[in-house]
Amino acid sequence: MSAWLAEAVELARRNVAEGGGPFGALVVADGAVLGRGVNRVTRDADPTAHAEVVAIRAACRAIGDFRLSGATLYSSCEPCPLCLSAVLWARLDRVEYAADRYDAARGGFDDLAFYELFGTPRAQWPTPVVAVPVEGRAAPFDAWLAAETKVAY
């Protein structure tokens, strides 16, 4: 196991000892840690405060950019769909993880269930997710396309 991955696992272990969830993560580029994170969901009453997201936010603040191209995320556990989406939006180059979604499920976390949910038709989801036609629904995108000062994602 790499030293970075070992540190992510140790962050997770310490977070449990401090009353948090069993997840830790680091964003590393060019041999330097840009951001660290632990699960802060219950501590912050924030369902998006997963270790990976916290580490990505810290790394982006550290470099002053929302793009983390050239960086690797080291996580104590396989990123859930939320975290994987954050990884993709941040344009990280690579993800390495220790435990997997089955370990998370054994610990009582929904990662596996969410991965399985995305493989089923939306009509079978417990939470309805539906498109509702609204006049002018494309206007924000038209404004975006016309904007001369936008920063492309």
Side-chain angles (χ1 to χ4, degrees):
M1 176 168 29
S2 77
W4 300 122
L5 203 48
E7 183 176 342
V9 170
E10 178 57 19
L11 282 171
R13 190 201 60 73
R14 279 197 322 254
N15 198 48
V16 171
E18 295 169 5
F23 303 96
L26 300 94
V27 175
V28 177
D30 299 321
V33 176
L34 301 179
R36 287 178 175 83
V38 294
N39 182 282
R40 299 187 55 89
V41 170
T42 57
R43 189 175 299 148
D44 293 354
D46 178 354
T48 68
H50 292 201
E52 297 89 342
V53 173
V54 172
I56 288 168
R57 288 173 181 162
C60 289
R61 279 192 306 272
I63 67 167
D65 198 340
F66 62 89
R67 293 170 292 234
L68 295 171
S69 301
T72 297
L73 174 77
Y74 295 91
S75 180
S76 64
C77 188
E78 179 180 7
C80 73
L82 168 76
C83 296
L84 188 54
S85 295
V87 163
L88 296 172
W89 279 112
R91 311 296 196 253
L92 284 146
D93 281 10
R94 182 178 173 83
V95 175
E96 292 187 17
Y97 61 88
D100 63 20
R101 63 184 78 171
Y102 301 96
D103 296 313
R106 188 177 62 79
F109 294 88
D110 293 332
D111 305 46
L112 178 60
F114 290 156
Y115 271 109
E116 291 172 351
L117 176 68
F118 290 132
T120 63
R122 279 192 183 174
Q124 297 174 16
W125 287 17
T127 303
V129 178
V130 296
V132 178
V134 174
E135 188 172 328
R137 69 183 174 270
F141 294 104
D142 295 338
W144 169 260
L145 290 169
E148 294 181 19
T149 58
K150 66 180 171 271
V151 176
Y153 286 58

